[in-house]
Amino acid sequence: MMPTPVVDAEPVSASQARAAWQTGVAPLLEAFPDHAGDILRAIAFAHRAPFPVPVFITGRAGAGKTTLARTIGELTGRSATLELPQRSLASIRKAATPGEPLVLDDAAPAHSRARPAMFTQIQAEVYASRNSPLNAASIVVATGEQKIDELSLQRTLATRINRRRAPGKVYEQLHSAAAAAARLSVHTFLQAQIPRVTLSRADSAATRLALGVDIEHERRRDAALHVGGVLLRALELDAGTSRHRMPREDSILVGVYAALQYVLDNGALLGGRATAGDWILGRRDEDYLYVIPGELMPFIRAELNDTTLTSNAVAAALENRGVLYPSRRQGRSIPRSINGTLTRVWRLSPGLLI
């Protein structure tokens, strides 16, 4: 039976949400200090767009997997546990609803004979099939005692709980009816407020990275966690520390996305007939953008708040991410005619403007 989402009849104010956070979420951070922070960031992102990878929670019996799954369910608006007719990928597909969370407790028990293992099946479904119902769920969470294979670890948000670390009173508070009700209130607040948060150009670009279907899932995961952290900070909710960071090259790529958007929105030109006083960023043709590095670099530095960032570092990051096409003879900046003047430019993918 599919449990229905719980939506409070009354709106939750910011002060009420922060009090509920202290009651229902603070003990979660204390009970699972190594993992709860990133899970909360994933939940925040899932209130805005589908989280791009499944969340797997594994460990020995009694370590707290069910507790963690139940709290995630409450923070995503589920007050009851989802019960599958059988532990199979077909049942999981049928249980997935577009825009809704899918939280599966004990999906991969130690005694399961499923081959490949269920964690592997779920990961492969999300990774390989863009049309899978699992990709339409706001977030997919599964727990179990089975190990997660090495390949799946790179394509998921994986949490392994080995033992209980916090004092018993923390778990008592975490299991209390007041904490459960508080988490549902937090969900109501997030549901109402997260779509209203205005992201910076760079954080909007990070969202674009997280949702990029042709981008490696590990990079998508880290970009989504970055944005989830931004959303929670905007609402003044503390999710603790993060174990995952966007790679430096992706941070630079995000800065380039944002800088291009800014300069083009503010009058920079890529081609066309220029007149005196026009701001020429470069030109474009059907295959490439030709961007003058010196025109864009001040804005990239401003977006990343890094005054020491060099054009060589940016070009190297863009090349490694497959959006800058160097010349074997001339390097990463190549000569091209820009309005009749031979100028050194970066040859970039037009996908940077889509």
Side-chain angles (χ1 to χ4, degrees):
M1 178 179 178
M2 172 70 72
T4 56
V6 173
V7 179
D8 290 355
E10 296 296 329
V12 177
S13 68
S15 60
Q16 289 172 329
R18 291 179 195 121
W21 189 271
Q22 285 302 118
T23 300
V25 178
L28 178 67
L29 286 162
E30 190 172 354
F32 304 101
D34 293 337
H35 305 288
D38 281 336
I39 289 173
L40 291 169
R41 289 170 175 83
I43 290 169
F45 186 88
H47 278 82
R48 188 149 183 147
F51 189 67
V53 300
V55 178
F56 289 161
I57 303 166
T58 186
R60 63 174 179 79
K65 299 185 298 298
T66 295
T67 295
L68 192 47
R70 184 168 60 250
T71 59
I72 293 171
E74 290 158 354
L75 287 167
T76 56
R78 299 290 186 186
S79 61
T81 302
L82 173 64
E83 296 182 3
L84 295 174
Q86 57 183 346
R87 293 186 182 94
S88 69
L89 191 58
S91 291
I92 291 171
R93 286 194 193 106
K94 290 179 181 179
T97 301
E100 299 292 342
L102 181 61
V103 183
L104 308 165
D105 189 29
D106 201 26
H111 57 76
S112 173
R113 297 181 180 180
R115 294 292 180 272
M118 189 53 66
F119 283 137
T120 303
Q121 290 188 49
I122 295 171
Q123 177 276 131
E125 175 85 0
V126 173
Y127 179 78
S129 178
R130 296 177 185 176
N131 297 320
S132 168
L134 300 188
N135 280 313
S138 61
I139 189 169
V140 176
V141 181
T143 77
E145 296 175 28
Q146 298 176 9
K147 291 184 178 180
I148 305 171
D149 67 83
E150 290 298 321
L151 184 59
S152 294
L153 282 173
Q154 301 172 19
R155 300 171 177 173
T156 64
L157 178 59
T159 298
R160 178 163 182 80
I161 308 170
N162 291 317
R163 58 187 176 87
R164 297 194 173 199
R165 297 172 54 179
K169 63 180 182 181
V170 172
Y171 294 96
E172 291 177 8
Q173 183 180 357
L174 192 60
H175 288 114
S176 70
R183 287 188 287 271
L184 289 169
S185 293
V186 168
H187 158 70
T188 300
F189 179 74
L190 297 179
Q191 187 178 51
Q193 297 302 321
I194 280 181
R196 302 179 184 179
V197 174
T198 300
L199 295 174
S200 69
R201 286 182 300 271
D203 293 328
S204 294
T207 302
R208 172 182 173 176
L209 192 67
L211 300 177
V213 295
D214 295 319
I215 296 171
E216 296 94 329
H217 280 54
E218 183 177 12
R219 294 171 56 202
R220 295 180 65 191
R221 175 199 65 200
D222 294 347
L225 292 174
H226 166 83
V227 175
V230 169
L231 293 169
L232 291 176
R233 287 195 298 274
L235 299 175
E236 299 182 24
L237 298 173
D238 180 12
T241 58
S242 176
R243 301 181 69 190
H244 298 278
R245 306 283 184 188
M246 275 201 304
R248 177 63 171 163
E249 290 176 344
D250 279 344
S251 295
I252 290 174
L253 179 60
V254 160
V256 172
Y257 275 128
L260 276 170
Q261 178 183 333
Y262 177 82
V263 298
L264 293 173
D265 286 348
N266 285 274
L269 299 179
L270 277 172
R273 292 188 177 182
T275 59
D278 281 341
W279 179 9
I280 307 302
L281 180 63
R283 67 177 175 87
R284 66 179 303 174
D285 59 26
E286 293 182 357
D287 300 313
Y288 302 109
L289 308 176
Y290 301 97
V291 172
I292 303 169
E295 295 294 333
L296 192 60
M297 277 303 303
F299 300 95
I300 298 173
R301 294 187 184 108
E303 292 291 348
L304 296 175
N305 193 28
D306 184 352
T307 58
T308 66
L309 185 64
T310 66
S311 60
N312 283 337
V314 172
L318 296 179
E319 180 185 3
N320 288 338
R321 288 308 187 212
V323 296
L324 181 146
Y325 308 102
S327 165
R328 290 183 179 180
R329 293 183 179 180
Q330 297 163 327
R332 296 188 180 107
S333 63
I334 60 176
R336 284 293 184 272
S337 176
I338 306 296
N339 286 335
T341 301
L342 197 63
T343 307
R344 296 197 74 85
V345 297
W346 288 334
R347 181 167 55 190
L348 302 176
S349 166
L352 287 166
L353 297 184
I354 296 174

